[in-house]
Amino acid sequence: MPAQQKKILFCAAGVLSFACALGTAAAIGTQLWVRGTILCRTGALLVNATGPELEKFLGEIQYGLFHGERVRQCGLGGRPSQFSFFPDLLKIIPASIHVSVILFCTVLLIFALVGAGFFMFNAFGSPYETLHGPVGLYLWSFIACSCGCLIMILFSSEVKIHHLSEKIANFKEGSFTFKTHSEQFANSFWIILVCSLVHFLNALLIRVAGFEFPFSKSKDSATTTGAVDLMY
C-alpha cells in the first residue's frame, strides 16, 4: 500500500483512539450507566395495588461508577435522594468487582491515549522497529479492546447477577422493601461497547495497511526454515 494511504489510515485510527479516550473519560464521570424503575413492594402489598395503581409505587433510579440518584414512590409522592458508592455503599455492593470496573476503565483510557499517540507517530514520524511500529499498535489496540470487554462483563455481572439496583434501592430502608421493576444499561455503558469495537477496528486498519499480525510467519520464511532443517 502506498505510504500516503498508510498515513491516512493511521491518522484515522489515531483520531478514533483519541475520541474513544474522550468518550471513556466522559463515561467514567457520569451517572448514566444504568437507568431503571423500582417498585415499593411493601406499599403495593398494603393496598393490594394492581394495574395502573402500581404507578403510584414506581420510583426511578440511575447511577454510574461513583454516584447516582433515586426517587422512591410509596404512594405519598416521590422522595428523591442522592448517593455515592464511596464510602456509603461499600458494605452492600460487591466492592472488588466495582473497583475492578473502575480500574479497567482507567487502563482503557490510558491505552486509548497511548494508542492515539503512537498511531499519529507512525503516520507522521519514522516508526521504530519495536513497540513504536506495527507490533506496538496491535498491542495497544488489543489491550484497550480487552479492557473494554472486561468492563462490560464485570459491570453486567454486578448489575444482573448481584442485583445492584435492588441493593441500592434498599439502602438504609428499614420499613419499606423495594424491588427492581425494570432496568436497562444507559449511554455510558454503550460508549464502552463502541470504544471496544473501535479498537478492534483499529487492529483491522493496521492489517489493511499491509502489516502482518504479530507472531504470524510468511510462507517464504517457513519454506526457508524447512530447507535449512533438511541440510542438517
Side-chain angles (χ1 to χ4, degrees):
M1 179 178 290
Q4 188 65 28
Q5 295 183 15
K6 290 182 180 180
K7 287 185 177 181
I8 295 175
L9 287 177
F10 282 144
C11 285
V15 171
L16 289 175
S17 295
F18 185 72
C20 286
L22 293 179
T24 303
I28 292 174
T30 65
Q31 59 183 25
L32 300 177
W33 284 71
V34 174
R35 283 179 175 173
T37 56
I38 50 177
L39 173 65
C40 181
R41 187 175 181 180
T42 304
L45 289 175
L46 285 175
V47 299
N48 197 20
T50 58
E53 297 176 349
L54 285 177
E55 295 182 0
K56 297 181 179 180
F57 300 93
L58 285 179
E60 298 178 353
I61 186 172
Q62 68 174 17
Y63 54 89
L65 299 181
F66 295 97
H67 55 90
E69 58 184 4
R70 58 185 177 179
V71 179
R72 292 163 291 182
Q73 294 271 7
C74 294
L76 299 175
R79 294 181 295 159
S81 62
Q82 296 183 348
F83 58 88
S84 59
F85 285 93
F86 304 99
D88 297 341
L89 302 176
L90 281 180
K91 294 182 179 179
I92 64 170
I93 66 172
S96 59
I97 297 178
H98 198 77
V99 172
S100 297
V101 172
I102 297 174
L103 177 62
F104 283 120
C105 283
T106 305
V107 175
L108 174 59
L109 173 61
I110 293 173
F111 278 96
L113 290 173
V114 170
F118 279 116
F119 272 116
M120 291 301 180
F121 183 84
N122 279 270
F124 298 104
S126 299
Y128 297 142
E129 293 294 333
T130 54
L131 294 182
H132 290 255
V135 176
L137 298 181
Y138 281 121
L139 178 62
W140 314 134
S141 299
F142 174 76
I143 293 176
C145 182
S146 300
C147 287
C149 294
L150 287 172
I151 291 168
M152 292 184 293
I153 293 172
L154 291 174
F155 190 75
S156 299
S157 66
E158 185 180 9
V159 174
K160 299 298 183 180
I161 298 178
H162 294 275
H163 307 290
L164 184 61
S165 299
E166 282 191 9
K167 291 181 178 179
I168 295 174
N170 289 286
F171 177 62
K172 291 185 177 180
E173 286 291 339
S175 56
F176 292 96
T177 302
F178 292 87
K179 182 179 180 181
T180 302
H181 186 263
S182 66
E183 64 181 359
Q184 59 275 343
F185 295 109
N187 299 338
S188 296
F189 180 85
W190 300 119
I191 287 176
I192 300 298
L193 173 61
V194 172
C195 289
S196 301
L197 296 177
V198 165
H199 290 296
F200 179 76
L201 175 62
N202 283 347
L204 295 181
L205 287 178
I206 305 169
R207 182 65 185 89
V208 170
F211 296 106
E212 296 290 340
F213 287 113
F215 311 112
S216 63
K217 296 181 179 180
S218 62
K219 294 181 179 179
D220 295 337
S221 62
T223 304
T224 304
T225 304
V228 173
D229 292 339
L230 289 176
M231 292 176 63
Y232 294 95

